[in-house]
């Protein structure tokens, strides 16, 4: 009789234990599923916030850069229209033009100034940096046909504004040559624009990084990453650099030598 009483008790105790274990397992699985869903939702929310920040900061920088380029273009035209410069260019003598135009670089507040005659010969070259070779700039000058362009020379990136130098008016107008004003773009000048706070920036041309706020060692990884992607401008893309995920987008800066301006936000920080 005692044995018969013990068997049901053991059975029900074992059954109760299995039920408790099953309930704990169900609660654990439900909790894990909820956490996974919450984390996925949070990641999506962070991604949307970062994407919105990238687009807003890129738009702000482009607005600032457009205003800066317009001012540089206006400066180039004002200098090209000076009677003293036209008188110098009319001599078509390199030494005379070179010597007489030295003060124009300081007046323009540019980093490089070039003057070429109507035959595309360089008559004057003035630069704040000795790292810029006249041979490279002469080559770039010959390839640039518009009002503005982007040059990379001597390890420096320049936004370039051009203006024709013309003597006379209307039917008596005579082309004397062309002026080029080059303003250097650096990571510091981009930072000083105030458009970016924690966002990193990269400028590349034809898959090669020419300017970056990220460490130099990352440039090769970035070049490899974008070579496998063919995203249109302003579309958010995910890039893995040294094991860290970044969200990035770019805008095209036009010219005969166009560049792409990338802004990047770390997705893991």
């Amino acid at each position: 009789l005692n044995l018969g009483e013990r068997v049901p008790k053991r059975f029900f105790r074992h059954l109760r234990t299995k039920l408790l274990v099953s309930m704990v397992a169900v609660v654990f699985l439900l909790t894990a599923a909820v956490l996974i869903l919450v984390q996925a939702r949070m990641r999506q929310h962070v991604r949307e916030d970062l994407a919105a920040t990238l687009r807003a900061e890129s738009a702000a920088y482009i607005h600032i850069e457009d205003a800066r380029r317009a001012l540089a273009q206006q400066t180039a035209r004002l200098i090209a229209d000076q009677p003293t410069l036209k008188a110098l260019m009319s001599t078509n003598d390199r030494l005379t033009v070179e010597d007489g135009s030295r003060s124009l670089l300081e007046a323009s507040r540019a980093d490089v100034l070039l003057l070429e005659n109507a035959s595309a010969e360089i008559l004057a070259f003035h630069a704040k940096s000795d790292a810029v070779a006249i041979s490279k700039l002469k080559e770039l000058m010959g390839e640039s046909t518009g009002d503005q362009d982007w040059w990379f020379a001597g390890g420096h990136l320049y936004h370039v504004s051009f203006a024709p130098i013309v003597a006379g008016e209307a039917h008596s107008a005579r082309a004397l040559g062309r002026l080029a004003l080059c303003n250097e773009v650096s990571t510091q000048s981009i930072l000083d624009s105030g458009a970016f706070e924690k966002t990193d920036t990269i400028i590349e041309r034809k898959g090669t990084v020419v300017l970056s706020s990220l460490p130099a060692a990352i440039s090769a990884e970035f070049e490899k990453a974008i070579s496998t992607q063919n995203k249109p401008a302003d579309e958010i893309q995910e890039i893995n650099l040294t094991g860290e995920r970044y969200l990035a987008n770019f805008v095209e800066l036009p010219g005969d030598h166009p560049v792409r301006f990338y802004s990047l936000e770390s997705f893991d920080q």
Side-chain angles (χ1 to χ4, degrees):
L1 188 65
N2 292 335
L3 181 61
E5 290 177 353
R6 289 175 187 169
V7 172
K9 287 182 179 180
R10 289 180 182 177
F11 174 76
F12 286 116
R13 189 181 300 117
H14 179 66
L15 183 60
R16 185 169 61 249
T17 302
K18 288 181 68 175
L19 287 173
L20 286 172
V21 170
S22 299
M23 289 176 64
V24 170
V26 170
V27 170
F28 176 78
L29 290 173
L30 287 174
T31 303
V34 169
L35 286 174
I36 290 171
L37 289 173
V38 170
Q39 288 178 346
R41 182 58 184 166
M42 287 180 64
R43 282 197 297 268
Q44 181 62 27
H45 186 65
V46 169
R47 184 177 175 36
E48 291 172 356
D49 283 350
L50 289 177
T53 299
L54 285 174
R55 289 194 174 99
E57 289 181 338
S58 294
Y61 177 73
I62 293 303
H63 180 73
I64 293 169
E65 191 61 29
D66 284 345
R68 187 179 296 171
R69 289 200 297 267
L71 180 60
Q73 189 67 47
Q74 184 181 31
T75 300
R77 288 171 179 166
L78 287 172
I79 294 175
D81 201 40
Q82 289 184 7
T84 52
L85 177 59
K86 293 181 180 182
L88 282 173
M89 293 295 291
S90 65
T91 66
N92 203 35
D93 179 73
R94 189 182 65 80
L95 292 177
T96 300
V97 176
E98 179 85 21
D99 186 59
S101 61
R102 292 185 188 278
S103 62
L104 293 179
L105 179 64
E106 184 177 355
S108 68
R109 297 186 178 181
D111 296 288
V112 178
L113 181 145
L114 293 100
L115 296 169
E116 70 172 12
N117 63 14
S119 301
E121 299 170 332
I122 301 296
L123 298 183
F125 163 64
H126 305 291
K128 291 181 179 179
S129 172
D130 295 331
V132 185
I134 179 62
S135 57
K136 179 62 177 178
L137 295 187
K138 184 178 180 180
E139 176 188 339
L140 291 168
M141 189 91 168
E143 295 170 352
S144 299
T145 59
D147 292 334
Q148 301 191 23
D149 202 2
W150 294 89
W151 290 356
F152 185 68
H156 299 266
L157 178 66
Y158 298 98
H159 172 258
V160 190
S161 299
F162 302 94
I165 305 172
V166 181
E169 300 289 341
H171 299 295
S172 62
R174 178 168 60 95
L176 298 176
R178 187 169 56 147
L179 172 145
L181 286 183
C182 309
N183 291 281
E184 184 174 1
V185 177
S186 64
T187 53
Q188 188 59 50
S189 69
I190 294 172
L191 185 63
D192 290 343
S193 71
F196 302 97
E197 295 180 3
K198 298 180 180 179
T199 304
D200 288 300
T201 57
I202 291 178
I203 297 180
E204 64 89 10
R205 170 185 291 155
K206 295 181 178 180
T208 300
V209 173
V210 295
L211 191 68
S212 174
S213 64
L214 291 168
I218 296 180
S219 294
E221 281 199 43
F222 178 80
E223 292 170 357
K224 183 178 179 180
I226 62 174
S227 68
T228 62
Q229 301 192 25
N230 189 25
K231 302 285 187 178
D234 199 42
E235 182 171 326
I236 300 298
Q237 52 191 298
E238 188 171 316
I239 298 175
N240 192 302
L241 302 174
T242 62
E244 185 172 351
R245 292 176 301 167
Y246 287 85
L247 293 185
N249 77 329
F250 74 87
V251 291
E252 192 95 21
L253 301 178
D256 289 297
H257 304 87
V259 296
R260 286 182 172 182
F261 182 92
Y262 281 83
S263 51
L264 304 91
E265 284 270 9
S266 174
F267 190 57
D268 295 330
Q269 291 184 1

